[in-house]
Amino acid sequence: MKIAIIGIGYVGLVSAACFATWGHEAVGVDKDTGKIAALRLGRLPIYEPGLDQLIAGAVETGNLSFTTDTATAVAAADIVMIAVGTPPRLRDGEADLAFVYAAAKEIAASITGLTVVVTKSTVPVGTGDEIERIIGRARPDARFAVASNPEFLREGCAVADFQKPDRVVLGADDRRAQELLQAVYEPLRRVGVPIVTTRRRTAELIKYAANAFLAVKISYINEMADLCESVGADVREVALGMGLDHRIGAGCLNAGPGYGGSCFPKDTLALLRTSQDHGVPLRIIQESIVANDARKRRMALKVIDALGGDADGRSVAILGLTFKPETDDMREAPSIPLIEALQRAGLKIRAHDPQGMENARALLDDVEFFDDAYECASGADGVVLMTDWACLKSLDLERLSRVVRKPTLIDFRHAFDPAEVRKHGFALTSIGVAPDTQIKTTIRPHSPVLHALRHSPVMESN
Ligand code: UDX
């Protein structure tokens, strides 16, 4: 199958490389001449483990190529996939579809023969209809169908997610489009990956519904973490006890400083806008967005508390800046609001990240960056583990304790063994696990306080 992929970001690049390794002829198309020139030299625009070897191998077989020439790539393709960005619009948070529609117009100009145009970007319900209108208006003679094939890959393990997905979703109202797409994914069907075939609008909604559900799940465990700190429970054990119930599942139950990245914050907001447009309230998602935003800012208070409440003039070392490990992506990273809030409180920020410092530099002012984690921690009044990179989780605590000015460790990712941390003289603050001394409320079952709480207006309204 000849596949042209328009937009060589995370999704486009990984999809093109993987399709090529399955034997399809994939062409990655992007307007960015610098990006295409670099890719032709084997240089990737993003950091993603395993992707460079995959691309090198696929280019060598002749199945993968890169071009800036949309017209030629589209004219030759059986399937054209749109994988351009859909960033949130500044004014209302809705997904900005300008790039998607511009791609549709360009595709329309060059279609030859029967072509299936597929959205891989995360697009609001009904976007496929608009793409169909754009192409149909521009080229009433064209033989084409529009389908939706949303991608569920996670940064950092995108290649594995593409090659071994939990499921593939193919949404098309046209039978030929459905058949063509099924042929593309035949290698996965053969090894037992479920292929969910639906109408186009349903496929568009599945992507948002899945991402928003995972975001809600994270907000849920984060709120449980707060409760754990107050009642003296351990959120890791709560998550384990919950996640072993197969109806719940263990994924997305790691309490942390709030979710970030290019998807969850954007997709929850976009889904909320869609629901408002249709007059259908999605209160759970709305609350989850509010809780997550507030949480990211609140984490600064945790750091200041751990420093004894005195921030002015002190310095803190932030280890890990990206929104998750194994990526250089800083989009919506919880480290950004945390650092800004700590700076407002008067703290000096020292920072280190294994891959994200170049992107972080463009977003953060007045931060001293260090290539080495120990150097970063040197002389600091506290160390904050923000992103659980493997190399940060395996830091030598003995060495760390020798370089810091004050042995205070704030572990936002349960990266370290608390006993080890304390053995090396650190005072430890983490998420969802309060030392006995920090338990704020001790309410006995059947106590009058509990009775009063249960009969508060909030509880009664539930
Ligand atoms: C996500 C989805 O997982 C993927 O299916 C989708 O298509 C793209 O968006 P990604 O943003 O790459 O992938 O990362 P993910 O691993 O899902 O993490 C997102 C954020 O949630 C990160 O900030 C992460 O730290 C946080 N998170 C995740 C938690 O706080 N706890 C968890 O248990 C899981």
Side-chain angles (χ1 to χ4, degrees), residues 94-112:
E94 232 168 276
D96 186 346
L97 297 173
F99 299 120
V100 173
Y101 294 148
K105 279 184 196 140
E106 280 195 67
I107 292 166
S110 310
I111 278 182
T112 58

Side-chain angles (χ1 to χ4, degrees), residues 49 83 115 160 171 182 185 203 208 213 216 345 351 361 369 376 413-414 418:
T115 308
Q182 285 182 29
Y185 284 97
Y208 280 102
F213 185 82
V216 167
R361 271 196 178 96
F369 290 97
C376 177
R413 301 283 183 175
H414 298 299

